[in-house]
Amino acid sequence: MLKIEANDSHRVTLTLNGRERSGNARPRTLLSDFLRHELGATGTHVGCEHGVCGACTVRVDGVASRACLMLAVQADGRRVDTVEGLAGDDGPLSDLQAAFRRHHALQCGFCTAGILNSCADFLGRERDPSEAQVRDMLSGHLCRCTGYTGIVRAVLEVAAQRREQRQEERDDV
Amino acid sequence: MKPAAFDYARPATRREAIELLAGAQGEARVLAGGQSLMAVLNMRLAEPALVIDITGIDELHYIEERDGALCVGAATRQAELAAHPGLAERVPLVAQALPWVGHFQTRNRGTVCGSVAHADPSAELPLCLATLGGEVVLEGRRGRPRVVPAASFFQGVLTTDRAPGELITEVRFPLAQAQTQYRFTEVAMRHGDFAIVALAAAIRGEQVDLGVGGVADRPVVRTLPAGDGLDEALNEFAWALGAEDDAHATAAYRRTLVRELGRQLITEARPC
Amino acid sequence: MEALEQPAAAAPQGEVGRSRERVEDDALLRGAGRYGDDLAVPPGTLHAAVLRSPHAHADIRSVDVTRALAVSGVHTVLTGEDVRNWAAPFPVGVREPMEHWCLAVDRVRYVGEPVAVVVAEDRYAAEDALGLVDVDYGLLSPAVDAEAAAAPEAAVLHEGVGSNVVSERHFHYGEPEDAFAAADHHVSLKVRYPRNSCTPIECYVVLASYDVAAGAYDVSANFQGPFALHSVMARALQVPAPRLRLRTPADSGGSFGIKQGVFPYVVLMALAARKAGAPVKWVEDRLEHLQAASSATNRVSTIEAAVTAEGRVTALRYDQLDDCGAYLRAPEPATFYRMHGTLTGAYDIRHLAVRNRVVLTNKTPTGLNRGFGGPQVYYALERLMQHIAATLGLDPLTVIRRNLVPPEAFPYRAPAGSLLDSGDYPAAVELAERDGGLAELRERRDAARREGRYYGIGFCAAVEPSISNMGYITTVMTPEERRKAGPKNGAVSTATVSVDPLGAVSVHVSSTPQGQGHRTVAAQVVADVLGVPFESVTVNVELDTQKDAWSIASGNYSSRFSGAVAGAVHKAATRVRDRLAGIAAGPLGVAPETVRFAGGRVHAGADDGSASMSFHRVAGAVHWAPGTLPEGEPGGLRETAFWTPPELAAPDEGDHINSSLCYGFVFDYCGVEIDPVTGAVRIDRYVTLHDPGRILNPQLVDGQVRGGFAQGLGAALMEEFAYGDDGSFLAGTLADYLIPTSMEVPEPVILHMETPSPFTPLGAKGVGEGNNMSTPVCIANAVADALGRADIELPLTPARVRGVIGIDEPEPPAGLEPAAAPRGGGSGLRASDSVTMPAPPETVFHRMLEPATLAAIIPGCHELEATGENAYRADVTVGVGMIRARYEARITLSELDPPHSLRLSGVGESAMGSAEGSARVRLTALDDGGTRLDYDYEAAVGGKVAAVGARMLQGAARVIIGQIFTRLAAELGGGQPSWWRRLADRLRGLVGRGGGRS
Ligand SMILES: Cc1cc2nc3c(=O)[nH]c(=O)nc-3n(C[C@@H](O)[C@H](O)[C@H](O)COP(=O)(O)OP(=O)(O)OC[C@H]3O[C@@H](n4cnc5c(N)ncnc54)[C@H](O)[C@@H]3O)c2cc1C
Ligand code: FES
Ligand code: FES
């Protein structure tokens, strides 16, 4: 059993976007604060710290989760993926990011990181989502700038592209 | 909005968790999915001395059919239950209700037992549990596990029969009965919000068990006639719930939804 | 002003007019944006948390920071005393004796008002100490409702003023009395526009430091302008403007006007840094933001029209009351005057009478909010137009058409002074009617109505002002007052274009964007002028008041970018181009006028075959070989252009004010269907047509429309900052303040028309705010049409709409009548109940007066100590479920009438806010020797608990108060609360299973 006293700081080691990173956290340190201020991964944003806005959404072991509703110590030993990992370090934007750009799915961009993470998890599970399903998944995020249209279009387009790609790959085989 | 300081423990077994909880004299909080607790900690609406993280307890991570019920362990997430093969046939009411529970992202972490433990009067899972006549399994340091019927488990706003030293280890949803139809509906301000009124119904022949969430201070269930006398019974039920006004809806509106949506839900289901 | 190059309306050949993918996006999509909270902080930076008032109205008797300073990690606490020493109150827009400080110094006037700032090693530690700052408040009665606060008997917020009405002005244009006397009909309507906010997802961020040696403050904040407020901040800090260096980060997480309201915190954190002797960072959290950042102004309007039998409106009379909250914070009362010249909207109405009153109430101060002033005006005007149609039995669109400003009238001078620059409103309406499919919607409505369904169509025609006249605010003053103060007018925009030694082009604009893509558009404009590739232009939008060109109108508001800032960019780029043309003319052997810029080259003539030089060669010469330049060419290449339109004059003697430079046109209509049971409003189709002058980037224009539409829809259907009767704030979380999600926002049909503005360099007008103005009222009109009712109120929540449809309740069965009607939706809680006591009344009464009994029955009671006869103080921890609040409580027993009745009261303060409760207790002897104890209680909860827990307060109060009396029964040896029994009785036999414990 792991036990940490309130004022002790604990070494948290996790795999952030494929790379092992570690830093100190006390029990009460939120995962969102740890990622941003201890590891310097400021791509994850904070908009409410009570689980509603979705800006802080990251993937923990692949699963979209609110980083403001997790303790840093809970991520110890886990895989955490954030917006910074979606495109390789110097690489081109991923299909999802590029679609967001094409469809003007962001304005201020503050909500975007969380949305991209939810979409990454969702599209991994739902290969042929309907618009209703996409909207349902997106309802866990608040965007104040875009009215969501561009976001919905981008997600549906990526789903279609990936379906085609898979089809082509199957045809090749 | 940052939590006050607390000690943190991540027990590996159920036993360890119970020992810690029982030893903390009411000063500990169980951390399951954290989708309610963490927000409360961040707002400093609670400042527990100890937080016991039960997410790492493998033995509490299961969905099993046992003795006519679908039993869900305390470390099981809502999303896992939603994805459970056959859920729509085995416990159709829960399958219908789960999409209403928060969002994709909160269901990914929120647990089934955590929602029951939290006992929000508008929450969908407690409503389903009460409507189906399910049970909650509580374990304390001493004695055998207590199996408490949902009817007596929910006692008021965020208030349950759980003693401070007890852990909910499992909730049990009775499996679907033959010749019974299950229906769930809800009115909320936005998709994924807590319900203004949530209705769950198990309809068998001339009788219906109708559960109402979001109106009284806990889910309340009544057995009503499904045909003749339904309107009178719904009206009486609506008034008996003691609805109150709040920022988003009036008491009269809530009663009206119980009557009118209740009737829709039941009559639409009956012919088939 | 320089001669303007009027743009061609044809398909874009250059960059301007194209839907360019934004240059901003790559970084933002990779998580590499640099928002306020992402900036590197200087070593030794400390973190602040703000202690806020849990009360709506109270005197501050004392502030004691001793316990807070003892907390580990805490460095200092800034209080009102420091603020008095180092700062001054903010200048206020009207001449009345009232003070607004960045921190409450002697009185708090709204829930959430800053009272002290704790500075500590980190935010966690700072919050640890918040609850240990001891503030002694003397409660005052609050003024909450706008109309009640304006009445003579209301509690007064600023005693020096003597009334809460801090400004009243009457205006008179044309001959409204005559027009009303001659009219066939008078149609009037009273409407209320609620408090709401376009609340961005990023909250305020301030990083401040103080240089003791220079006596200067250096602050970074996600401020959005207008930079006129820089003067307000510098004056409050009592430094010359250069000693307040204000910088804004490259990226901002949205603003919509709201980040104007960070300015008091710039001052507050500057002072905190001075006190701490170290840089101080503050990141506002969402609870702080919702309760105390800013808000749209709620307004009560009575509007009346003089109308001919045909539906032609000849005169309007407005009586408007704006509730600006607890302080008149700059730029208020601008909500009124931003729209003042435009009060007749898109209509040719020549006669106008206006009364404007500003009232202060115990609520958060208001400020800029997207659409600023527009939603309030159009909610009155366009509801009235719909109501006129309904009253006269005309089609609303007919009434709109009959009154539109005719196309030949442009530029059209509205009676109150706006100079509508260009447009063709009837053509726009026709276009929208045709391309949006109005006929089809009408058919759907008729079909739905035949089936008895509630379906309605709403319209809104609106003029969307952009590029504010900085002088409009002075319309609040009388002409004499203005004469004394000196004229204010104009709207200076600024841009700098420079070319470096290798020929790369950089642009700087002082427009502090918050997601609108200014970098992209500025690059498009400059690429066209200089004929260089779009990709090669670098645009910087950070603003540093010490190093960059700016003026008071700088900033991002009133949709001034495309019209004004892009114009200044164009002007600066043109100057650079003209200089380069002069330099290249010699070597190319042509006159400067014939030199053309295209494809990264400088050409001798228009045709591509002409002689040319590369752009970087020509530009390079300016740096590397200034000796070779023609005479008069100074070398170096950096041009800063300022641009202000001459049309923006100060208000005249007759109070005419051209409040904005440009006036776009918006015409919306929608079909809605209402669920007859739930009252939910479903948007069947929403059509929105915009004429924003020349469109610089269509994709960005549509983005603005969609975003504004979503916010307008929120304002129409769900968003409201709710307050209790006691001034407690009830919408403290994003689960209480409801913002539409992807499930609630449909895709609008967007239509365009382009009538270039003659007054802006590129012919563009603003487009960012139209739907915030048009959508709330358009939806409201559709709902009014569907229900055939005029008495509707925003937001149109399902419960409210169902209430308008009518709730015809069957009688409650005997015994189930609701006991006492609890007060709705507020923090005022009341109920009654009874418990049976196993002892006679005398014993019960006697025991209740014993301290030991009190200590035992009050839940979580520690250290009960007598402070007088039947008066105690105690530490009380109360809670429901996982929630716990520890109150320092005073408990009293009064109105003693042994052994019949008494009153048990408690008042408590905690870090989570205040709570008070009072229960009247009556004892009745029972035949079995016991007592029936009946109690009625009233409780009120304020501060954080009310803000975030409104949904559950009623139930929680019942649990907690119920506990007191069940414990008393238990103390006396047994007993069950009778309401448990009643509930059980009610449910027994009927309830198969369920939550009723029996
Ligand atoms: C944006 C948002 C929307 C939401 N909408 C809804 C909604 O519509 N409907 C709804 O029902 N819920 C909703 N929720 C809350 C729901 O997601 C939570 O999951 C649920 O209430 C609690 O489950 P949890 O596992 O997250 O529990 P936690 O938050 O970890 O715990 C909740 C409480 O239960 C206690 N507890 C948890 N597990 C146990 C146990 N095994 N034994 C004893 N005590 C325990 C904890 O100590 C705590 O007091 C929403 C949450 C968010 C953030
Ligand atoms: S910051 Fe985590 S959900 Fe809003
Ligand atoms: S892009 Fe600004 S909040 Fe979504």
Side-chain angles (χ1 to χ4, degrees):
Chain A
M1 173 166 53
L2 173 68
K3 269 188 176 169
I4 314 165
E5 302 262 322
N7 292 317
D8 286 353
S9 95
H10 178 77
R11 194 84 188 151
V12 173
T13 303
L14 45 77
T15 307
L16 178 65
N17 299 320
R19 230 179 262 159
E20 191 176 293
R21 296 288 309 273
S22 59
N24 291 325
R26 283 170 300 161
R28 62 167 160 170
T29 307
L30 301 180
L31 178 59
S32 44
D33 283 338
F34 180 77
L35 290 171
R36 292 178 46 78
H37 302 302
E38 183 75 12
L39 302 185
T42 55
T44 298
H45 298 150
V46 170
C48 72
E49 292 180 311
H50 53 263
V52 184
C53 78
C56 67
T57 306
V58 299
R59 281 165 293 149
V60 179
D61 292 333
V63 174
S65 310
R66 308 290 204 219
C68 72
L69 299 185
M70 273 185 75
L71 302 170
V73 292
Q74 291 187 286
D76 199 7
R78 313 217 157 253
R79 198 180 90 226
V80 177
D81 292 292
T82 64
V83 65
E84 287 96 336
L86 283 172
D89 271 348
D90 227 350
L93 295 180
S94 68
D95 55 353
L96 196 59
Q97 290 165 308
F100 267 57
R101 182 174 168 157
R102 249 189 332 275
H103 289 281
H104 192 28
L106 65 156
Q107 290 184 24
C108 78
F110 202 74
C111 65
T112 312
I115 295 181
L116 288 169
N117 279 303
S118 280
C119 293
D121 174 11
F122 173 79
L123 289 173
R125 295 191 227 175
E126 283 297 337
R127 308 203 137 191
D128 191 9
S130 64
E131 177 172 338
Q133 282 174 301
V134 170
R135 286 190 174 265
D136 180 88
M137 173 272 296
L138 289 173
S139 73
H141 293 275
L142 298 176
C143 173
R144 216 39 176 155
C145 298
T146 64
Y148 307 102
T149 304
I151 303 172
V152 173
R153 287 186 187 160
V155 178
L156 287 171
E157 184 182 278
V158 170
Q161 279 172 352
R162 290 189 186 174
R163 265 198 312 279
E164 269 167 40
Q165 251 165 33
R166 277 193 302 272
Q167 189 59 44
E168 278 164 23
E169 280 161 23
R170 265 196 303 272
D171 292 349
D172 288 349
V173 170
Chain B
M1 259 179 91
K2 309 290 178 189
F6 49 76
D7 295 343
Y8 171 83
R10 186 158 67 220
T13 67
R14 187 170 108 255
R15 220 44 253 168
E16 283 176 353
I18 292 166
E19 283 301 319
L20 281 169
L21 190 55
Q25 273 133 18
E27 292 303 312
R29 291 288 176 277
V30 172
L31 174 59
Q35 302 302 290
S36 295
L37 180 64
M38 284 304 303
V40 163
L41 295 181
N42 290 357
M43 294 179 196
R44 297 199 186 212
L45 292 176
E47 302 193 2
L50 170 66
V51 166
I52 304 166
D53 179 356
I54 61 165
T55 52
I57 304 176
D58 289 338
E59 61 183 304
L60 292 177
H61 192 182
Y62 58 85
I63 303 173
E64 290 170 6
E65 257 179 52
R66 223 186 300 124
D67 305 328
L70 194 73
C71 307
V72 182
T76 304
R77 317 273 186 197
Q78 294 153 10
E80 291 167 336
L81 180 58
H84 183 66
L87 182 72
E89 291 77 50
R90 310 308 278 160
V91 196
L93 188 66
V94 169
Q96 290 176 45
L98 271 169
W100 295 92
V101 181
H103 305 276
F104 172 77
Q105 300 81 359
T106 65
R107 293 191 295 269
N108 278 345
R109 278 204 78 78
T111 63
V112 176
C113 288
S115 175
V116 170
H118 187 44
D120 187 300
S122 292
E124 293 82 2
L125 290 173
L127 173 61
C128 292
L129 196 69
T131 307
L132 298 174
E135 293 167 338
V136 181
V137 182
L138 295 153
E139 279 189 55
R141 186 184 260 163
R142 269 181 285 280
R144 292 160 46 83
R146 285 204 297 147
V147 179
V148 180
S152 45
F153 182 74
F154 300 110
Q155 300 192 338
V157 169
L158 311 187
T159 307
T160 68
D161 188 35
R162 184 179 75 85
E166 285 178 320
L167 182 72
I168 298 178
T169 52
E170 173 178 305
V171 294
R172 298 174 177 167
F173 295 99
L175 298 179
Q177 303 282 307
Q179 263 98 55
T180 307
Q181 295 188 59
Y182 298 90
R183 288 288 185 277
F184 188 93
T185 192
E186 162 171 332
V187 174
M189 288 288 289
R190 291 174 309 184
H191 181 76
D193 279 336
F194 280 96
I196 292 175
V197 172
L199 299 174
I203 304 148
R204 53 198 136 72
E206 291 306 305
Q207 280 210 327
V208 53
D209 293 337
L210 181 68
V212 179
V215 182
D217 59 358
R218 73 197 83 173
V220 181
V221 186
R222 266 198 192 192
T223 304
L224 313 174
D228 288 349
L230 174 62
D231 286 339
E232 296 72 44
L234 278 170
N235 184 43
E236 182 168 4
F237 192 15
W239 285 102
L241 291 163
E244 275 155 0
D245 294 351
D246 71 12
H248 293 144
T250 59
Y253 178 71
R254 291 193 154 89
R255 284 191 295 269
T256 301
L257 290 187
V258 171
R259 279 188 293 262
E260 299 181 12
L261 271 192
R263 161 162 258 293
Q264 265 182 15
L265 192 71
I266 293 162
T267 49
E268 279 169 13
R270 278 191 81 220
C272 24
Chain C
M1 202 175 70
E2 285 177 0
L4 297 178
E5 215 180 48
Q6 263 310 329
Q13 298 213 311
E15 285 295 333
V16 171
R18 285 180 56 185
S19 288
R20 259 286 171 194
E21 285 187 12
R22 306 193 320 162
V23 296
E24 287 85 352
D25 289 354
D26 196 293
L28 299 182
L29 285 161
R30 288 173 196 270
R34 283 173 302 129
Y35 300 87
D37 190 23
D38 304 340
L39 301 182
V41 297
T45 296
L46 301 174
H47 296 266
V50 179
L51 178 72
R52 292 172 183 278
S53 169
H55 303 293
H57 202 186
D59 282 324
I60 298 176
R61 296 204 195 104
S62 65
V63 178
D64 182 352
V65 301
T66 323
R67 292 196 303 150
L69 286 173
V71 173
S72 141
V74 170
H75 282 235
T76 191
V77 181
L78 182 84
T79 64
E81 212 176 309
D82 304 311
V83 170
R84 271 190 195 280
N85 283 340
W86 290 330
F90 295 114
V92 177
V94 298
R95 264 155 242 278
E96 289 289 354
M98 49 186 171
E99 289 186 351
H100 177 205
W101 299 77
C102 62
L103 189 79
V105 295
D106 53 5
R107 189 187 268 202
V108 289
R109 294 185 175 86
Y110 64 97
V111 170
E113 182 168 4
V115 174
V117 181
V118 176
V119 180
E121 299 284 330
D122 62 31
R123 175 67 178 245
Y124 292 76
E127 289 190 21
D128 289 346
L130 282 184
L132 299 173
V133 176
D134 295 304
V135 185
D136 184 13
Y137 292 105
L139 297 193
L140 301 167
S141 53
V144 182
D145 174 71
E147 286 175 285
E153 61 276 12
V156 172
L157 273 78
H158 298 270
E159 273 155 4
V161 184
S163 156
N164 294 323
V165 177
V166 297
S167 164
E168 172 159 358
R169 285 226 60 200
H170 295 252
F171 302 92
H172 205 263
Y173 305 99
E175 308 295 339
E177 289 77 16
D178 296 352
F180 270 96
D184 299 319
H185 303 277
H186 293 182
V187 182
S188 73
L189 201 61
K190 181 172 179 181
V191 295
R192 287 183 180 75
Y193 189 82
R195 276 194 166 226
N196 52 33
S197 157
C198 292
T199 185
I201 304 300
E202 177 196 42
C203 297
Y204 295 162
V205 181
V206 180
L207 171 62
S209 58
Y210 178 65
D211 176 344
V212 192
Y217 299 95
D218 188 341
V219 185
S220 295
N222 49 4
F223 178 61
Q224 65 141 56
F227 278 75
L229 293 173
H230 184 271
S231 314
V232 170
M233 293 181 251
R235 274 171 67 185
L237 285 169
Q238 301 185 302
V239 291
R243 299 219 185 119
L244 169 58
R245 180 176 191 175
L246 181 60
R247 310 189 225 196
T248 62
D251 294 304
S252 169
S255 171
F256 321 112
I258 293 300
K259 286 193 178 139
Q260 166 255 323
V262 71
F263 85 82
Y265 296 99
V266 168
V267 173
L268 187 59
M269 293 305 149
L271 298 174
R274 180 169 181 174
K275 174 114 190 211
V280 168
K281 179 172 176 177
W282 172 68
V283 180
E284 183 190 47
D285 69 35
R286 183 58 61 180
L287 301 190
E288 300 182 274
H289 186 82
L290 288 171
Q291 67 172 351
S294 195
S295 157
T297 308
N298 54 305
R299 177 176 298 174
V300 184
S301 311
T302 305
I303 181 168
E304 188 176 16
V307 193
T308 69
E310 297 75 43
R312 181 83 177 87
V313 178
T314 53
L316 282 177
R317 201 179 270 147
Y318 278 93
D319 186 359
Q320 311 189 100
L321 179 65
D322 260 8
D323 170 0
C324 286
Y327 300 95
L328 203 59
R329 193 173 68 185
E332 289 288 29
T335 303
F336 270 144
Y337 296 98
R338 195 257 176 137
M339 294 299 292
H340 191 77
T342 324
L343 283 171
T344 42
Y347 305 119
D348 180 24
I349 300 170
R350 297 311 310 166
H351 308 287
L352 176 68
V354 184
R355 173 165 83 140
N356 281 345
R357 286 181 301 153
V358 176
V359 66
L360 299 190
T361 62
N362 293 108
K363 302 198 201 84
T364 300
T366 58
L368 297 189
N369 191 47
R370 193 173 183 182
F372 197 45
Q376 291 88 339
V377 164
Y378 290 117
Y379 188 59
L381 179 58
E382 293 299 295
R383 282 288 300 116
L384 181 69
M385 295 304 275
Q386 197 263 358
H387 190 49
I388 289 171
T391 310
L392 273 58
L394 297 170
D395 181 79
L397 192 53
T398 308
V399 176
I400 288 174
R401 279 211 170 97
R402 290 205 172 133
N403 288 288
L404 289 174
V405 172
E408 61 279 7
F410 290 96
Y412 172 88
R413 181 72 71 178
S418 281
L419 182 63
L420 305 185
D421 50 341
S422 66
D424 186 343
Y425 302 171
V429 168
E430 206 178 302
L431 177 80
E433 184 175 2
R434 189 186 61 229
D435 292 359
L438 180 60
E440 189 195 339
L441 277 196
R442 288 204 160 115
E443 277 164 28
R444 279 199 233 181
R445 173 176 69 179
D446 297 344
R449 287 191 175 169
R450 277 194 297 276
E451 291 167 21
R453 285 150 46 208
Y454 294 109
Y455 192 108
I457 296 179
F459 299 89
C460 171
V463 159
E464 177 185 356
S466 54
I467 312 174
S468 288
N469 184 344
M470 294 310 279
Y472 75 65
I473 179 65
T474 60
T475 320
V476 69
M477 297 194 258
T478 62
E480 301 82 79
E481 285 168 339
R482 281 199 297 270
R483 245 174 276 130
K484 274 191 220 132
K488 288 208 173 68
N489 69 309
V492 177
S493 62
T494 318
T496 301
V497 175
S498 53
V499 186
D500 78 359
L502 297 178
V505 180
S506 313
V507 184
H508 177 268
V509 287
S510 58
S511 65
T512 56
Q514 276 99 8
Q516 295 89 341
H518 292 182
R519 286 171 55 201
T520 304
V521 179
Q524 286 180 293
V525 170
V526 172
D528 274 1
V529 175
L530 297 180
V532 294
F534 168 77
E535 294 75 15
S536 73
V537 181
T538 304
V539 184
N540 184 309
V541 292
E542 291 160 320
L543 182 55
D544 178 340
T545 57
Q546 211 156 75
K547 298 204 301 193
D548 298 319
W550 60 279
S551 180
I552 59 150
S554 295
N556 185 28
Y557 59 95
S558 84
S559 304
R560 55 196 307 284
F561 180 76
S562 335
V565 180
V569 170
H570 188 266
K571 184 169 166 181
T574 305
R575 281 199 201 146
V576 167
R577 185 193 63 189
D578 291 349
R579 280 180 57 194
L580 289 173
I583 294 163
L588 290 171
V590 291
E593 298 76 48
T594 62
V595 173
R596 288 288 172 272
F597 291 73
R601 301 190 69 78
V602 184
H603 301 266
D607 71 280
D608 288 349
S610 63
S612 68
M613 299 162 68
S614 72
F615 181 85
H616 70 82
R617 215 22 232 285
V618 182
V622 180
H623 295 281
W624 301 106
T628 64
L629 302 179
E631 215 181 294
E633 171 54 58
L637 201 46
R638 179 188 179 101
E639 289 291 340
T640 295
F642 289 88
W643 180 77
T644 188
E647 291 80 8
L648 295 183
D652 68 11
E653 288 292 301
D655 287 320
H656 298 95
I657 175 68
N658 185 17
S659 28
S660 297
L661 178 66
C662 296
Y663 300 88
F665 182 65
V666 184
F667 178 67
D668 287 5
Y669 60 89
C670 67
V672 306
E673 178 158 9
I674 294 166
D675 184 311
V677 174
T678 65
V681 176
R682 182 184 65 83
I683 313 279
D684 185 26
R685 181 188 299 168
Y686 196 99
V687 178
T688 180
L689 176 135
H690 289 256
D691 182 350
R694 184 167 180 228
I695 293 174
L696 303 185
N697 181 325
Q699 192 178 44
L700 298 192
V701 166
D702 287 1
Q704 288 297 311
V705 171
R706 291 198 181 98
F709 168 68
Q711 291 175 337
L713 178 117
L717 299 180
M718 59 192 83
E719 297 186 27
E720 181 169 17
F721 283 147
Y723 283 84
D725 297 341
D726 57 354
S728 56
F729 181 71
L730 302 177
T733 73
L734 289 177
D736 302 285
Y737 187 79
L738 304 177
I739 294 172
T741 75
S742 51
M743 296 294 279
E744 286 78 36
V745 185
E747 167 66 357
V749 178
I750 303 174
L751 302 171
H752 299 293
M753 190 164 138
E754 292 186 62
T755 314
S757 171
F759 300 149
T760 62
L762 297 170
K765 312 181 187 187
V767 69
E769 302 176 84
N771 285 91
N772 294 72
M773 303 182 185
S774 61
T775 300
V777 64
C778 184
I779 294 175
N781 279 342
V783 171
D785 182 48
L787 302 178
R789 292 278 288 270
D791 55 340
I792 57 169
E793 215 171 295
L794 299 185
L796 291 156
T797 60
R800 238 185 222 161
V801 172
R802 179 60 213 254
V804 176
I805 293 175
I807 294 182
D808 191 11
E809 287 208 86
E811 289 293 302
L816 288 179
E817 299 83 359
R823 277 191 299 172
S827 56
L829 315 161
R830 58 174 96 175
S832 29
D833 215 322
S834 61
V835 191
T836 310
M837 300 286 160
E842 291 73 17
T843 314
V844 177
F845 194 93
H846 186 73
R847 289 289 296 275
M848 282 192 76
L849 298 186
E850 286 174 0
T853 311
L854 278 180
I857 68 173
I858 293 170
C861 180
H862 306 286
E863 299 170 22
L864 184 92
E865 128 198 11
T867 55
E869 200 186 344
N870 293 323
Y872 305 90
R873 69 152 298 287
D875 272 357
V876 177
T877 306
V878 293
V880 282
M882 61 179 157
I883 294 166
R884 289 274 176 283
R886 186 186 172 128
Y887 289 94
E888 209 179 286
R890 288 190 302 280
I891 295 158
T892 46
L893 292 149
S894 58
E895 301 174 22
L896 306 183
D897 177 14
H900 306 295
S901 65
L902 57 74
R903 178 174 291 281
L904 173 61
S905 314
V907 185
E909 292 280 350
S910 87
M912 291 187 212
S914 58
E916 55 185 307
S918 174
R920 171 115 190 108
V921 178
R922 278 158 294 135
L923 305 176
T924 314
L926 296 176
D927 294 346
D928 63 2
T931 301
R932 195 181 77 229
L933 183 154
D934 292 290
Y935 62 94
D936 307 305
Y937 68 81
E938 260 193 15
V941 181
K944 187 160 55 171
V945 174
V948 307
R951 189 166 64 91
M952 298 199 206
L953 285 183
Q954 215 38 282
R958 195 167 48 217
V959 169
I960 292 161
I961 293 171
Q963 277 172 6
I964 297 177
F965 298 102
T966 37
R967 281 160 167 250
L968 177 62
E971 275 292 295
L972 293 161
Q976 272 276 325
S978 67
W979 75 270
W980 284 122
R981 269 203 210 130
R982 266 204 330 263
L983 187 71
D985 287 346
R986 267 183 224 164
L987 301 175
R988 186 168 299 131
L990 295 161
V991 178
R993 295 176 280 283
R997 187 174 82 172
S998 33

